[in-house]
Amino acid sequence: VESKMEIFYYAVFGIMTLVVAALELSKNSKDRISTPGSFNSFKNNYLVVYSLMMAGDWLQGPYVYFLYSQYGFDKGEIGRLFIAGFGSSMLFGTIVGSLADKQGRKRACITYCITYILSCFTKHSPEYKVLMLGRILGGIATSLLFSSFESWLVAEHFKRGFDPQWLSLTFSKAVFLGNGLVAIVAGLFANTLADTLGFGPVSPFDAAACFLAIGMAIILYTWTENYGDPSESKGLLTQFKGAALAIASDEKVALLGAIQSLFEGSMYTFVFLWTPALSPNEQDIPHGFIFATFMLASMMGSSLASRLMARPTLKVESYMQIVFLVSAVALLIPVTTTFFLEPSSEKGGSITSGGRLQLLGFCVFEGCVGIFWPSIMKMRSQYIPEEARSTIMNFFRIPLNIFVCVVLYNVNAFPITIMFGMCSIFLFMASILQRRLMFVADSHRT
């Protein structure tokens, strides 16, 4: 049975690799813009750093749930560990964005490296309290990762007087590498370390710490510092008022925030759910390889997104409606397979036929995630004012994190199917709001 199952994983991975290769190689010159050397070296430096930062993040993805379950914690306890991560990401994330704008983005990026390295070290301990501390540090790191690097890049880009059009080149490359290629390699590398070489589920976390340390050295020696709003006198409260005002006064900003929260909320719930969903009775699944497959699907999405965005006639606001609908349907698959296919009750073994179908559905969802990132970045850069971007972006994450915390806190109360159904409803709502955003944006243009 084992070898036949393995073929299924390789087949899914192989087919998607071909599709990604085809999408990437068939890019014609129309999609490419020629840029000067000074910009290229700036872009490449950022991409190297960003890739190392993301490697540090992705290596921790595949085995985190599995590691906690190996230490003997159940779904509810693991849920609370995840909450610690989201909770701290929410509490610190709100302050972190505005602190980064004031104290300097370079400093914030270095802080990310340090906190995440410390977080990796805590994974060696089977003590719940230590793991909890690790999750809190990890949460702080994540909020820095998602605001500071982007803010540093945008500010530095304009400070050096580069063409605003070129920013999307760096973004799409960063998503392709950092959220695509690096993630796939990280999944395979983690699988090799943990399973193939038998170093166990803690080893990918040690590898992550090494990559973060290398990235930190590059930042220290090659980046210059930049700040947000130049008027230093602004307190945190004033900054928040400004951000809240921007959200309240502009429906587009509010809609974008809601869409992002709904989608990311479903995404983070999915991050927690995929491991138990694919191995409900402790089936033996290659976590790293499956993770790499998800990341490949996401890469397929981002390479599709850059094709879509290069079309002048096609609006991001219009195709994203369809993307949200497709993702809503994809997360309904676990709900339907549970109803129509009899779940097997024996322990162990390898993935079931229902599990295979779910894996394919999850790949479709990850494809939508890949389209989502570059597209939401593009809309953010159109609708959100630069000077308070970090603060506003983290403002959106408050409702998102509260929601994910509520879900994970009650994770034992609901069967997995209910959770997926709920994510599906959120994605459907995101689609409706995206439609509204398109109409609002159009009426403002005319």
Side-chain angles (χ1 to χ4, degrees), residues 3-48:
S3 62
K4 183 166 140 270
M5 281 309 166
E6 288 308 319
I7 287 171
F8 166 71
Y9 294 122
Y10 288 125
V12 175
F13 193 83
I15 291 165
M16 283 201 301
T17 307
L18 292 175
V19 175
V20 171
L23 275 171
E24 279 305 307
L25 296 173
S26 66
K27 273 192 178 161
N28 52 25
S29 53
K30 194 170 90 258
D31 299 348
R32 294 213 177 101
I33 310 170
S34 61
T35 51
S38 60
F39 170 72
N40 293 340
S41 56
F42 166 71
K43 183 183 75 175
N44 293 338
N45 169 278
Y46 178 76
L47 292 175
V48 168

Side-chain angles (χ1 to χ4, degrees), residues 138-166:
I140 299 172
T142 333
S143 58
L144 284 162
L145 175 62
F146 285 124
S147 57
S148 307
F149 287 89
E150 188 177 321
S151 300
W152 182 87
L153 174 71
V154 173
E156 197 64 25
H157 184 95
F158 288 117
K159 195 166 90 179
R160 296 183 180 209
F162 294 133
D163 185 335
Q165 284 302 139
W166 300 344

Side-chain angles (χ1 to χ4, degrees), residues 166-177:
W166 300 344
L167 198 56
S168 64
L169 296 179
T170 313
F171 274 146
S172 57
K173 260 291 185 322
V175 171
F176 180 78
L177 286 172

Side-chain angles (χ1 to χ4, degrees), residues 8-9 140-141 158 196 199 209 217 322 339 367 383 399 434:
F8 166 71
Y9 294 122
I140 299 172
F158 288 117
T196 322
F199 290 130
I322 300 157
F339 284 130
Y383 301 132
Q434 182 67 65

